[in-house]
Amino acid sequence: MRPTDTSDPEYFHRVVDCQYACPAHTPVPEYIRLIAQQRYSEAYLINWESNVFPGVLGRTCDRPCEPACRRGRVEEEPVAICRLKRVAADYKDDIADRLPKAGKSNGKKIALIGGGPASLTVARDLAPLGYEMHLFDAQAKGGGFMRSEIPSFRLPESVLDEEVGYVLDLGIKATFNTFVDSLQSILDKDYDAVFVGSGAPRGRDLPNLPGRNEADKNIHIGLDWLANVAFEHVKKIGKRVIVLGGGNTAMDCCRTSRRLGGEEVKVIVRSPFADMKASDWEKEDAIHEGIPILDNHVPKEFVVEKGKLIGMRFEKVEAIYHEDKRRELVPTGDEPVFVPCDDVLIAIGQENAFPWIEPSTGVNFTSSGVPVLDPLTMQSTRSNVFFGGDAAFGPENIITAVAHGHQAAVSIDLFCRGADLKVRPAPDVTLVSQKMGIHEWSYDSEPVDGKREAVPLVELEKALKNRALEVELGFDLETAFKQAERCLNCDAQTVFVPSNCIECDACADICPTTCISFIENAPEPELRKNLLVPATNEEQPIYVSEKLKTGKVLVKDEDVCLHCGLCAERCPTAAWDMQKFFYNTAKAAPILGDAR
Amino acid sequence: MSYIKPNFRHPRLPENALGHTVADYDGAISTLCAGCGHDSISAAIRNACFLSSIPPHRIAKVSGIGCSSKMPTYFLGKSHGFNSVHGRMPSVATGASLANRSLTYIGVSGDGDTASIGMGQFVHLVRRNVNMTYVVANNGCYGLTKGQDSATADHGSISKYGEVNSFDGIDLASLALLQGASFVARSFSGDKEQLEPLIRAAMGHNGFAFIDVVSPCVTFNNHAGSTKSYEATRDHLDVMPLDFVPMREEIRTQYSEGTSKSVTLHDGSVIYLHKAETGFATNDRTGSLTAIQKAKDDGRILTGLLYLDPDTQDLNHNLKIASRPLNELGKDELCPGSKVLNSINEGLR
Ligand SMILES: Cc1ncc(C[n+]2csc(CCOP(=O)(O)OP(=O)(O)O)c2C)c(N)n1
Ligand code: SF4
Ligand SMILES: [Mg+2]
């Protein structure tokens, strides 16, 4: 295997699992250390620079960082990263004067359609550069789906107002209660660029079918339901499930149902089997999993008994194909068919999310109705129109919307300056030794044993009485410190200088988690197998040194390294050092210097 | 600041026949200098005990005084231990072995502890063939007292303070051979591939097993001009590699004729010696002495299993000591009463 090139920042970036997994690449260990040092404002600002909504995210984030956390691999549970973020937000001082201000006008104007996390991120990144930002939203206040879809017992309005306010205070010209019904009308106003952050398309419903409202509890819109399953908000479904629709979403729904407790799952579709929109292989896979597909059945009624859904009634039809290729579904006159069920998933297509974007604007959409975008730049097929958040690739989450916003802002800035959008600015990276003495590092290098603790909750009785009362109380400062100390400081990188090594084995002998081997070099798969403990976690890189004096190489498996610094403490020649790796994704906005 | 070894271990550490991981054989965190060869020996002993599936509570560690003699604190934290007086470990080991013959004894000493102050006790330990493994961590100096030349320092080696050693060093392996040791080996702290099987074989040997391990003192004897530095040792090593296959394990690797020879130990374990083509024989005491001397004359450090007599009888056997440990003998066995006394007396009439 070739020696590892640690001068490529992406190598050490990967080692900081949480930061790497975060779509916005928030420097997690850095802010957790600041919390342990009781520097809550600085911890907040590190977050704010990366993810714009620390208070919101500290309560509601989907936390892709936590399953990635190294602690979960060496102990049982990951660091409570998300709830520590909330600690920073809860205990910070007034930081308003440390935030950037609107820059001196550069004469450029940008329109933002939608006032959710993606648009607000673009505004936050571009306003300090002197762009004039015009934001339009149909709601009365900013925040988008953070406001409309997250119940206030999870996210108090005051927290949202504060963080939306920090952005709007950058001189954003916001127009609320205004639904933009024509992109052309916006383009006509001569904006230098337009950012569309108008949220996700909605799955279609059957609002007028009898029984729809009474049975609401057991009727789910397929797309939303799939998203809820993905976010683990939904973990099971009834034994008997009807999936309405014949497209790929219907296939996803029926197969997912089978995995969540659905035993008798049926797909019921209006059209003949051959006309179904789902790909042949998707249909085959569903049938293979024991899911019958009933075609030529048109839904007529949700049958409700004693307030509970017990099944659905269908009319049988036949397809007649006219000469002009028009298809007509004609009732056969048979008795209506009753199919018993516990739950219904409606997967009959999507509402058009962009009826307001005229084809003449040159913004193109795929056949499934999502905009055609460059995933790197977020640019659409019309060069001055950019997308982000759920409007870009369908439903994701807040932190992904923020990450899109940062990238779109970079693109818009490059676009307005006439630069090449594909040449992305490099991340801001530093790598600095943390050595203070023979056994002393500038971070708490000793991995503590403490277990993860749950966040305390408000008394149930109180909580149920007041819909706006926040249920989670957040960590108190003592708990926050203990939880912060669980962080393994994965950004304190083990940096190895092969030319200093005398191969005394001291590092390999001391390493508590047996990460280091002095060994003959070999191709990667073989090398992974030959280590003292084989490196079976392929998602984690292994470091391979240049050839040492004896002809062997040093290999370090990054998988369960504790970043305890013992290798560097036991090294007689300082071939190892612990160096803090700070990685800040490039943003359009200038670096928030005094945060660190 | 950490003088503390974290409690986390690799979640996929392999287990031995007892269901233990190597972590069950760990000791306290070392306080020796960073990079000291002694730490590697500690790790090799730990690994050897793990690999040979010896229950930690059936091992006793004994040592004298010196950085090397501190080592037992840093491995096998769940075993018995006795850190004795400078050069006096042999008498403690002898007594312990006679009192409880069922334990595995690992003695750890230094070149000062063995070849200077402890020389008198050492030769008697060899002569008596006490059933134990005796490891000398040989750094050619008194590490603990700031690096004075020891009795094993090579002629011409330059001390950290610039003095050229004008005395011939004592070769402990040759000494042990001359005194009739039944197992003699030499190795290097930086060569675990050889040291681990040697320690396992030594522990499997029924009798006195001596291993002289060159173990660089990074602080006082790792400079240019020292003959026991990492670099000088590596440059002059003449390695005879070996493998150890314990009795209960089937032999997986096939060794080609002519390149390997095997020796079977008392307990059925097998030692495979590679490099057989050199004609070196482990059962030839005189030949072994000659080979060591010849290597020395050529400026080489010959490492590997130098001599082995697998059929030797240890001290307990020779003294006809009770077959069970003393602590297992009850009052009736220790004090059999007047009836037995009378019958003995009758026998003498
Ligand atoms: C009776 C007695 N005499 C002298 C000493 C001082 N002393 C302590 S350690 C040591 C030499 C240790 O050398 P060695 O056995 O080679 O161990 P190393 O530190 O080199 O590993 C001496 C002379 C002592 N502790 N006790
Ligand atoms: S003084 Fe020498 S022998 Fe003692 S611990 Fe330090 S390096 Fe090892
Ligand atoms: Mg010594």
Side-chain angles (χ1 to χ4, degrees):
Chain A
M1 199 179 158
R2 282 217 263 134
T4 307
D5 177 13
T6 52
S7 67
D8 176 355
E10 289 311 306
Y11 180 78
F12 285 142
H13 185 25
R14 250 181 100 184
V15 174
V16 193
D17 298 290
C18 45
Q19 182 177 14
Y20 191 69
C22 174
H25 303 310
T26 305
V28 176
E30 179 74 359
Y31 83 70
I32 290 186
R33 270 192 304 273
L34 287 167
I35 289 171
Q37 294 164 16
Q38 300 180 296
R39 294 171 63 194
Y40 309 112
S41 300
E42 285 76 10
Y44 182 84
L45 289 171
I46 289 267
N47 267 290
W48 189 81
E49 185 175 24
S50 291
N51 55 50
V52 194
F53 306 101
V56 173
L57 289 163
R59 294 165 164 88
T60 62
C61 190
D62 279 319
R63 2 173 167 166
C65 51
E66 292 192 12
C69 174
R70 179 177 303 263
R71 184 103 189 175
R73 298 199 295 276
V74 291
E75 197 213 272
E76 278 150 53
E77 291 201 83
V79 174
I81 300 172
C82 181
R83 294 314 185 249
L84 284 170
K85 192 192 306 289
R86 172 174 168 180
V87 167
D90 284 358
Y91 293 97
K92 67 180 184 305
D93 304 319
D94 183 357
I95 44 86
D97 62 342
R98 296 172 70 172
L99 301 180
K101 310 272 171 302
K104 207 171 131 264
S105 170
N106 67 0
K108 308 256 178 211
K109 263 188 342 186
I110 314 291
L112 304 164
I113 318 295
S119 287
L120 290 170
T121 302
V122 176
R124 205 282 308 263
D125 283 359
L126 293 182
L129 299 174
Y131 288 93
E132 190 175 311
M133 311 296 296
H134 293 203
L135 180 146
F136 303 91
D137 194 287
Q139 298 186 67
K141 282 169 144 190
F145 81 104
M146 298 191 287
R147 194 176 293 279
S148 58
E149 286 179 25
I150 301 174
S152 45
F153 57 80
R154 281 181 61 213
L155 174 59
E157 212 182 345
S158 57
V159 175
L160 183 60
D161 287 347
E162 176 190 334
E163 292 187 333
V164 170
Y166 289 148
V167 179
L168 296 181
D169 287 350
L170 285 161
I172 312 300
K173 298 197 163 48
T175 313
F176 291 115
N177 296 313
T178 303
F179 182 78
V180 174
D181 57 6
S182 159
L183 178 61
Q184 192 56 54
S185 69
I186 297 284
L187 292 171
D188 288 346
K189 289 186 194 150
D190 279 344
Y191 285 106
D192 293 279
V194 177
F195 177 79
V196 180
S198 55
R202 301 255 137 198
R204 268 178 59 204
D205 200 349
L206 291 167
N208 300 323
L209 219 57
R212 172 68 186 86
N213 290 341
E214 294 89 316
D216 185 56
K217 200 161 85 50
N218 296 94
I219 300 173
H220 321 278
I221 304 299
L223 271 183
D224 298 352
W225 184 80
L226 285 175
N228 283 333
V229 171
F231 298 152
E232 295 189 348
H233 302 324
V234 165
K235 293 193 172 126
K236 59 174 193 290
I237 192 150
K239 283 209 167 88
R240 298 168 307 170
V241 181
I242 294 177
V243 177
L244 299 176
N248 285 339
T249 307
M251 298 303 115
D252 285 343
C253 284
C254 67
R255 296 180 62 199
T256 306
S257 301
R258 286 288 279 138
R259 286 161 180 75
L260 297 187
E263 288 170 10
E264 281 173 45
V265 180
K266 294 188 176 75
V267 171
I268 306 186
V269 55
R270 294 154 50 107
S271 64
F273 186 83
D275 290 0
M276 285 169 63
K277 285 212 185 96
S279 341
D280 288 342
W281 57 88
E282 300 258 1
K283 290 194 270 187
E284 279 162 26
D285 287 345
I287 294 166
H288 174 75
E289 292 183 358
I291 301 165
I293 298 179
L294 277 59
D295 61 351
N296 299 323
H297 281 63
V298 175
K300 280 288 155 200
E301 182 188 357
F302 295 102
V303 184
V304 180
E305 213 177 80
K306 291 187 194 138
K308 202 183 166 306
L309 178 75
I310 59 159
M312 279 191 78
R313 228 182 289 286
F314 296 88
E315 183 177 49
K316 285 192 77 177
V317 294
E318 204 171 15
I320 311 262
Y321 299 91
H322 297 279
E323 261 168 33
D324 55 0
K325 289 196 177 151
R326 198 164 49 85
R327 189 190 71 187
E328 198 182 348
L329 298 176
V330 189
T332 57
D334 292 338
E335 277 289 294
V337 181
F338 174 75
V339 181
C341 72
D342 303 312
D343 282 287
V344 174
L345 298 174
I346 306 180
I348 54 174
Q350 294 170 19
E351 310 270 7
N352 181 357
F354 307 104
W356 54 279
I357 297 186
E358 299 86 344
S360 58
T361 56
V363 175
N364 295 344
F365 294 86
T366 68
S367 58
S368 48
V370 295
V372 177
L373 300 177
D374 180 328
L376 179 72
T377 63
M378 311 304 283
Q379 191 179 36
S380 75
T381 48
R382 180 180 170 119
S383 63
N384 63 343
V385 177
F386 299 80
F387 281 72
D390 289 358
F393 309 110
E396 284 280 354
N397 50 32
I398 303 173
I399 190 69
T400 305
V402 169
H404 288 171
H406 286 314
Q407 290 312 315
V410 167
S411 300
I412 292 171
D413 184 40
L414 292 171
F415 178 78
C416 291
R417 292 192 280 118
D420 183 354
L421 268 58
K422 293 274 186 195
V423 183
R424 312 300 285 181
D428 163 37
V429 175
T430 54
L431 188 64
V432 181
S433 177
Q434 301 298 293
K435 201 173 178 74
M436 307 272 285
I438 293 178
H439 293 275
E440 232 172 319
W441 304 100
S442 69
Y443 67 103
D444 286 341
S445 58
E446 183 198 336
V448 297
D449 289 342
K451 291 266 179 274
R452 182 177 171 126
E453 285 173 70
V455 178
L457 305 179
V458 160
E459 269 172 67
L460 182 64
E461 213 178 313
K462 259 196 192 163
L464 294 180
K465 273 197 195 123
N466 180 357
R467 198 191 60 86
L469 183 67
E470 183 167 24
V471 174
E472 283 193 355
L473 292 171
F475 288 135
D476 60 34
L477 288 180
E478 201 183 319
T479 317
F481 175 74
K482 279 199 238 148
Q483 293 300 307
E485 285 291 285
R486 290 181 76 237
C487 173
L488 293 171
N489 302 288
C490 300
D491 60 344
Q493 304 283 357
T494 54
V495 178
F496 184 68
V497 182
S499 56
N500 285 355
C501 179
I502 57 167
E503 297 173 72
C504 68
D505 276 3
C507 51
D509 291 338
I510 194 70
C511 178
T513 42
T514 327
C515 304
I516 301 170
S517 304
F518 287 89
I519 181 176
E520 299 294 336
N521 204 346
E524 178 161 357
E526 215 176 303
L527 202 54
R528 280 179 172 270
K529 254 188 248 149
N530 295 348
L531 301 185
L532 286 178
V533 179
T536 51
N537 184 356
E538 304 267 344
E539 280 173 23
Q540 291 288 321
I542 57 175
Y543 165 86
V544 181
S545 77
E546 279 156 35
K547 209 180 219 184
L548 302 171
K549 275 182 217 110
T550 60
K552 292 186 178 175
V553 288
L554 173 137
V555 181
K556 181 192 167 213
D557 179 9
E558 300 286 2
D559 187 17
V560 290
C561 167
L562 301 172
H563 297 259
C564 63
L566 282 173
C567 51
E569 285 182 28
R570 300 304 296 170
C571 181
T573 56
W576 286 106
D577 191 20
M578 304 306 289
Q579 300 189 0
K580 185 168 94 181
F581 176 73
F582 189 82
Y583 181 103
N584 199 1
T585 317
K587 303 178 184 70
I591 293 170
L592 199 57
D594 65 348
R596 276 175 263 147
Chain B
M1 174 121 100
S2 91
Y3 289 98
I4 298 148
K5 188 150 172 169
N7 292 324
F8 298 118
R9 294 292 177 272
H10 198 297
R12 291 182 295 279
L13 278 183
E15 289 181 357
N16 65 13
L18 303 172
H20 295 324
T21 68
V22 74
D24 294 315
Y25 294 80
D26 269 339
I29 193 165
S30 172
T31 59
L32 301 181
C33 305
C36 177
H38 299 357
D39 278 336
S40 288
I41 303 176
S42 292
I45 297 175
R46 173 197 66 177
N47 297 351
C49 294
F50 161 75
L51 289 169
S52 287
S53 297
I54 305 176
H57 69 287
R58 303 306 297 161
I59 300 173
K61 312 169 285 185
V62 283
S63 66
I65 294 293
C67 296
S68 36
S69 293
K70 286 172 72 177
M71 280 161 60
T73 309
Y74 315 131
F75 59 83
L76 293 170
K78 293 169 184 159
S79 300
H80 307 279
F82 197 120
N83 188 191
S84 74
V85 187
H86 201 19
R88 291 343 183 226
M89 176 260 275
S91 46
V92 174
T94 308
S97 162
L98 290 176
N100 188 345
R101 60 193 294 168
S102 71
L103 298 181
T104 299
Y105 290 93
I106 303 174
V108 181
S109 181
D111 41 332
D113 196 60
T114 294
S116 297
I117 195 168
M119 179 61 104
Q121 295 218 340
F122 175 67
V123 283
H124 289 286
L125 190 67
V126 181
R127 175 175 157 266
R128 286 169 173 162
N129 202 16
V130 173
N131 186 11
M132 72 181 298
T133 297
Y134 191 107
V135 176
V136 170
N138 190 348
N139 53 15
C141 70
Y142 299 166
L144 193 71
T145 53
K146 304 280 174 282
Q148 300 85 348
D149 278 346
S150 78
T152 66
D154 295 302
H155 187 265
S157 183
I158 302 170
S159 80
K160 180 142 184 178
Y161 311 100
E163 303 289 334
V164 181
N165 179 29
S166 54
F167 303 110
D168 249 341
I170 295 174
D171 181 51
L172 286 168
S174 302
L175 184 73
L177 272 166
L178 276 174
Q179 200 45 63
S182 49
F183 181 117
V184 179
R186 174 147 36 227
S187 192
F188 168 44
S189 66
D191 183 6
K192 284 205 194 65
E193 271 159 49
Q194 185 196 54
L195 182 54
E196 277 174 20
L198 271 181
I199 296 170
R200 296 179 70 191
M203 292 189 302
H205 173 64
N206 188 37
F208 185 74
F210 178 72
I211 313 178
D212 176 31
V213 188
V214 181
S215 176
C217 169
V218 279
T219 303
F220 297 112
N221 210 1
N222 196 39
H223 46 272
S226 156
T227 55
K228 286 199 165 47
S229 65
Y230 278 104
E231 205 169 324
T233 307
R234 280 217 172 89
D235 285 351
H236 297 99
L237 274 188
D238 182 355
V239 185
M240 300 190 290
L242 73 158
D243 275 318
F244 178 80
V245 181
M247 196 222 351
R248 73 184 94 77
E249 263 172 43
E250 60 173 313
I251 298 157
R252 290 206 186 80
T253 329
Q254 279 296 319
Y255 299 111
S256 48
E257 264 313 305
T259 62
S260 285
K261 262 194 290 197
S262 64
V263 188
T264 305
L265 288 184
H266 201 68
D267 67 358
S269 311
V270 183
I271 305 168
Y272 285 90
L273 303 153
H274 312 306
K275 256 200 172 180
E277 76 278 11
T278 56
F280 184 88
T282 50
N283 58 359
D284 174 3
R285 196 177 286 274
T286 323
S288 173
L289 275 166
T290 314
I292 295 172
Q293 190 56 46
K294 189 161 181 322
K296 194 181 166 209
D297 293 346
D298 299 349
R300 290 175 292 125
I301 306 162
L302 188 63
T303 67
L305 181 61
L306 302 171
Y307 178 77
L308 172 61
D309 172 8
D311 302 320
T312 173
Q313 300 294 358
D314 75 347
L315 181 63
N316 280 283
H317 180 270
N318 289 336
L319 292 185
K320 302 191 180 65
I321 298 290
S323 61
R324 281 185 296 145
L326 297 188
N327 63 10
E328 284 179 21
L329 302 179
K331 182 166 152 276
D332 295 343
E333 287 149 306
L334 292 172
C335 219
S338 50
K339 235 173 142 188
V340 178
L341 180 64
N342 288 340
S343 80
I344 292 172
N345 284 340
E346 279 307 313
L348 298 174
R349 271 183 221 286

